[in-house]
Amino acid sequence: MSTSPKVNFRGSTYRSAEYVSPPNEGMVVDLSEFADKLVAYEDISSDLSEEQERRIVDYVKSMVDMSYYKIRGRYDHWKEADRAHDVYVPANTTNFREKAVIADTRAIADTVLTYLMAALGGRNPMFQLEGLNRKSRQSSLILERVLHQQMRRTAGEARLAQLLLDSIRYGFAPTKVIWDAKSNQNQIVNFDPRRCFPDPRVNFGDWDNMQYVVFADYVSYNSLLYSGLYPKLRKFPALRHKISPPHNSWNAHHWHKESLRGLSIDPAQAHQRERSDHAYFTLGDARIIDETWVRLSGHEINIPSIDQIFLVITILDENVVIRFQLNPYGRQMPVVIGGLYQDQHKTYGQSLYDLILPMHDIATYLMRSRIDNISAALNNLIFVDPTQVSVPDLIDRNPYGVVRTLPGSKPGDGVFIAQVPDVTRGHFQDISAMSELKQRVSAASDAQQGMPTAGGVRTATEVQRLTQLGSQRLGVLSRVMSATTIRPMVRMMVSNIQDSLALQGSIKIDSQNMPNQLSGLVDDGYLDYDVSKDLQGDIDYLVIDGTLPLEPTRNAETWMNMLQIMQQTGLNMEYDAGQIAEEAIRAMGITDMDRFKVSKEQLQREGPSPSQQMSLMEKARGASVQPAENVGREVEKGNLIPLNEARRNNG
């Protein structure tokens, strides 16, 4: 280890100070001999000496410790948030009152999650892209559909939902965005916040200025081996067996989640992995890895020709470097950290449970005290004079209900029953008040939860107005999350597709959701693309406005009102009213309209229907279209002649 530098001040400022630098000051490890390999994106973990490996491990441990000692103060709060969210009751609970937990906190969280999921991921394509110039406009339309296809294939909706849930529950949702070369697509990996250790020297949201972020995880040896990321494991087969970690094992690896809550089992716990009578197989315990994404200056690894170098380092069992190479994603750490309430003046974001947990705890206490009061009232206190009444007869009642007394004692002598007053009668009102406060804080009203509104019957207009006001508040959160969390995540996925996707491919295009710019490129419902030409360009994520997508268009009444307005104003002469009517029918839930459509062959054989004839005639006169039943009556009266009949008469 290097010694501290010597600084002698001759004056009062640094300008006059004499500075003596120790040898190799600021150098983490000397890797100058591997400069060419690093630049070529080679993994140098197998080339490291024991001293180099030890220094790298010590450096990673220092980074993890720095983050852990800052973030661990949140762990107890996260445990309480887990309990409230899961409506958790320990399995060994015997006291009935302990089983009473207020559940509306979970309902509120689910309501906020539902809104965010619909606003941020409810579109088709899921993420809207925009070309930043004219040349990339078409590329953005194709790429957003390629990205949508990948999200569907990899259960991206579930990954997005987990990110949003962690943001609601913890205010801290670390998420990796990686490229899986085997499946040739993006992968979103959600991480437990207790296993992610970012640089604590930056405030929340300022992730581009992080020097490092470390992900700790537990995996089997076979998973590591067949991932293809760690060639060193094949070079040194002895690594199959777990290496004893140093005596001062890393505190960050201690299990901080509540044991057995939600089937959460400590993966670091040793298991029975071998049978004593056989030696031909082993399952092995879980192996701990620390995957570090770090930014260093060139002089810190004794390669001064490089200004900044972005690396990925993986440590196995706290003491073996099994990966050391340039960051394959360039100068971007493949991580986004979500949070519900963005506050860049804080190190860690605030969660919804930060706001509503105090009210949740009060409501739970009120519920349990009510149970205590009722239990006491049902089991009144009995004062007994044992000189007049047989106490065992009162405790263990015989089948005949006989209570023995001394001769001469009257019934009731020696026994006094103390009535327990009901002092918790108003607790349910207090619980309702707590629930209302939680709704005010979260903007998740009864109406948004699909529940009858409190405070009496309200008109539909009042309910709609209140729902809209709550949606506006949630819409602001959605828009901020779209800009601060979803945008960098989508940017990473777009970059991965442009850089790593196979050169050619095809995607299925929905004819009902196809922009005009792509209509000429679709053949038999599929669009073929070339990555080098069709997916390149300056493309960015289009931040949403926070409102729910397609909400008005899913209402059939909206489309019917549109048709009425168009009919009254004459706009039906300028637009295809038939297609609008089809959208209204689809909004009613009927998605297979095509099977009711008249074929071209039938149309040629039978000619236009009376409604179609009437429509043509009315359009020719500049009038509005009459209903089909009116057309039929006019035909019966002889006022209208079907077009096919007229053709035959003229023929």
Side-chain angles (χ1 to χ4, degrees):
M1 300 297 290
S2 61
T3 59
S4 301
K6 296 180 179 180
V7 181
N8 297 320
F9 286 96
R10 296 175 180 174
S12 59
T13 69
Y14 69 92
R15 298 178 185 274
S16 59
E18 180 182 351
Y19 181 85
V20 180
S21 173
N24 301 325
E25 181 193 12
M27 184 185 301
V28 177
V29 59
D30 187 353
L31 300 178
S32 56
E33 58 185 303
F34 308 121
D36 293 338
K37 287 188 174 183
L38 281 174
V39 174
Y41 284 88
E42 293 186 26
D43 183 1
I44 65 169
S45 60
S46 299
D47 303 321
L48 299 173
S49 66
E50 291 186 5
E51 174 63 17
Q52 290 170 329
E53 191 169 41
R54 183 187 63 80
R55 293 178 69 95
I56 293 171
V57 171
D58 287 345
Y59 187 68
V60 172
K61 183 178 184 299
S62 296
M63 289 188 288
V64 174
D65 285 343
M66 174 187 285
S67 181
Y68 168 75
Y69 288 120
K70 297 293 184 183
I71 199 173
R72 66 176 180 175
R74 298 282 294 161
Y75 288 177
D76 288 340
H77 181 81
W78 291 347
K79 183 184 293 185
E80 293 301 317
D82 285 339
R83 284 192 165 199
H85 185 79
D86 295 343
V87 197
Y88 175 66
V89 178
N92 58 354
T93 299
T94 57
N95 193 339
F96 180 76
R97 71 183 303 274
E98 301 297 328
K99 298 181 181 181
V101 181
I102 295 296
D104 69 333
T105 303
R106 170 65 179 268
I108 290 172
D110 287 347
T111 301
V112 176
L113 175 61
T114 301
Y115 185 97
L116 295 178
M117 194 63 192
L120 298 173
R123 291 166 172 79
N124 186 14
M126 186 177 299
F127 302 123
Q128 309 293 309
L129 304 179
E130 61 176 346
L132 300 182
N133 50 55
R134 188 180 299 273
K135 295 181 179 180
S136 58
R137 183 180 182 183
Q138 180 174 291
S139 298
S140 68
L141 295 174
I142 300 175
L143 209 155
E144 70 182 5
R145 284 157 176 80
V146 172
L147 181 57
H148 182 81
Q149 183 185 66
Q150 291 190 359
M151 291 292 290
R152 291 295 173 86
R153 287 178 176 176
T154 60
E157 296 100 330
R159 304 295 184 183
L160 177 62
Q162 185 68 53
L163 187 157
L164 298 176
L165 175 58
D166 290 343
S167 300
I168 293 170
R169 184 166 46 180
Y170 306 120
F172 184 71
T175 307
K176 285 173 58 181
V177 180
I178 60 175
W179 182 260
D180 185 3
K182 293 181 179 179
S183 61
N184 195 37
Q185 56 192 357
N186 284 289
Q187 292 282 355
I188 299 175
V189 183
N190 306 109
F191 256 81
D192 189 314
R194 302 168 185 84
R195 297 184 185 177
C196 179
F197 305 98
D199 189 347
R201 296 168 294 183
V202 299
N203 285 339
F204 193 89
D206 196 18
W207 311 121
D208 289 339
N209 291 324
M210 286 193 304
Q211 183 182 345
Y212 69 89
V213 59
V214 183
F215 296 95
D217 202 4
Y218 295 89
V219 294
S220 68
Y221 176 82
N222 282 357
S223 296
L224 293 174
L225 185 67
Y226 296 116
S227 68
L229 298 175
Y230 312 107
K232 186 173 181 177
L233 298 179
R234 296 187 181 277
K235 185 174 182 180
F236 299 97
L239 291 174
R240 170 175 287 276
H241 301 284
K242 192 172 184 178
I243 300 174
S244 299
H247 294 295
N248 55 340
S249 61
W250 300 8
N251 290 321
H253 296 157
H254 294 172
W255 186 246
H256 293 283
K257 295 179 70 174
E258 190 167 7
S259 179
L260 299 180
R261 188 201 61 79
L263 299 180
S264 297
I265 301 174
D266 185 357
Q269 184 180 1
H271 301 282
Q272 184 66 35
R273 58 197 183 275
E274 300 176 0
R275 290 183 56 178
S276 58
D277 56 339
H278 295 290
Y280 55 83
F281 72 87
T282 178
L283 294 176
D285 287 332
R287 311 294 290 275
I288 187 168
I289 60 170
D290 290 275
E291 184 182 81
T292 306
W293 302 85
V294 61
R295 175 181 61 190
L296 297 174
S297 60
H299 79 270
E300 289 180 290
I301 56 175
N302 200 24
I303 309 179
S305 59
I306 301 177
D307 183 28
Q308 286 191 95
I309 186 168
F310 288 74
L311 300 165
V312 54
I313 308 169
T314 304
I315 311 296
L316 175 66
D317 294 337
E318 302 180 353
N319 56 10
V320 180
V321 180
I322 59 174
R323 187 185 185 188
F324 194 108
Q325 66 180 108
L326 277 184
N327 183 347
Y329 305 102
R331 303 171 70 88
Q332 173 71 59
M333 297 182 187
V335 57
V336 294
I337 301 178
L340 186 62
Y341 299 104
Q342 302 283 333
D343 190 342
Q344 296 195 4
H345 302 304
K346 298 179 180 178
T347 305
Y348 299 104
Q350 194 175 32
S351 72
L352 177 63
Y353 278 83
D354 285 325
L355 303 179
I356 64 178
L357 262 182
M359 290 170 281
H360 169 86
D361 293 338
I362 292 173
T364 299
Y365 165 77
L366 292 172
M367 175 70 77
R368 291 178 175 178
S369 62
R370 176 63 175 165
I371 293 174
D372 291 339
N373 198 167
I374 294 174
S375 298
L378 294 175
N379 298 277
N380 292 318
L381 297 176
I382 302 177
F383 297 86
V384 182
D385 183 358
T387 62
Q388 299 187 60
V389 180
S390 173
V391 176
D393 287 354
L394 289 175
I395 298 175
D396 301 320
R397 303 296 300 274
N398 60 68
Y400 307 101
V402 176
V403 178
R404 291 171 293 181
T405 62
L406 289 178
S409 298
K410 298 178 181 179
D413 289 348
V415 179
F416 176 75
I417 300 177
Q419 299 290 334
V420 177
D422 185 2
V423 297
T424 61
R425 182 174 301 174
H427 278 198
F428 282 121
Q429 294 180 353
D430 297 335
I431 293 173
S432 297
M434 290 296 105
S435 180
E436 185 176 348
L437 285 175
K438 285 187 282 186
Q439 292 180 26
R440 289 185 180 182
V441 170
S442 64
S445 63
D446 284 333
Q448 289 179 314
Q449 296 180 48
M451 299 290 293
T453 57
V457 179
R458 299 180 185 269
T459 65
T461 304
E462 289 177 321
V463 174
Q464 183 180 10
R465 181 176 176 272
L466 292 174
T467 303
Q468 289 176 346
L469 291 174
S471 297
Q472 289 175 359
R473 291 176 58 191
L474 294 176
V476 172
L477 297 179
S478 301
R479 185 170 186 175
V480 173
M481 288 201 69
S482 177
T484 59
T485 302
I486 307 301
R487 187 178 191 180
M489 183 179 73
V490 173
R491 281 176 169 176
M492 293 178 194
M493 291 193 288
V494 168
S495 180
N496 291 342
I497 291 174
Q498 291 179 327
D499 295 340
S500 304
L501 188 65
L503 292 180
Q504 294 179 342
S506 65
I507 53 174
K508 185 175 178 60
I509 297 292
D510 182 8
S511 60
Q512 301 295 331
N513 189 31
M514 179 177 62
N516 295 329
Q517 294 87 341
L518 301 181
S519 58
L521 305 177
V522 178
D523 183 18
D524 195 25
Y526 286 87
L527 186 151
D528 299 326
Y529 60 84
D530 187 315
V531 176
S532 61
K533 298 185 300 181
D534 300 325
L535 302 185
Q536 303 303 316
D538 295 329
I539 298 170
D540 200 359
Y541 169 74
L542 185 62
V543 176
I544 67 167
D545 59 5
T547 59
L548 297 181
L550 304 178
E551 194 173 39
T553 60
R554 294 191 185 272
N555 187 355
E557 186 179 355
T558 301
W559 291 103
M560 301 304 293
N561 291 336
M562 182 190 294
L563 282 173
Q564 186 177 2
I565 294 173
M566 293 175 65
Q567 186 176 4
Q568 294 173 351
T569 58
L571 285 174
N572 59 319
M573 304 297 299
E574 303 177 23
Y575 296 90
D576 192 337
Q579 289 193 12
I580 297 176
E582 288 184 4
E583 288 295 334
I585 296 173
R586 290 192 182 92
M588 297 176 186
I590 302 173
T591 58
D592 55 347
M593 284 185 57
D594 292 340
R595 68 189 181 97
F596 304 111
K597 218 168 211 180
V598 179
S599 63
K600 293 182 179 179
E601 294 78 10
Q602 186 179 355
L603 188 62
Q604 292 175 354
R605 184 174 62 253
E606 300 179 0
S609 65
S611 63
Q612 292 172 326
Q613 297 177 44
M614 189 63 181
S615 176
L616 293 173
M617 294 176 61
E618 294 290 344
K619 285 188 176 182
R621 298 202 307 262
S624 59
V625 180
Q626 294 187 24
E629 57 268 19
N630 293 348
V631 176
R633 285 194 295 268
E634 294 296 322
V635 172
E636 292 177 358
K637 294 177 182 179
N639 297 330
L640 292 176
I641 301 175
L643 186 59
N644 56 345
E645 183 178 339
R647 289 173 175 172
R648 289 195 300 268
N649 295 336
N650 294 331

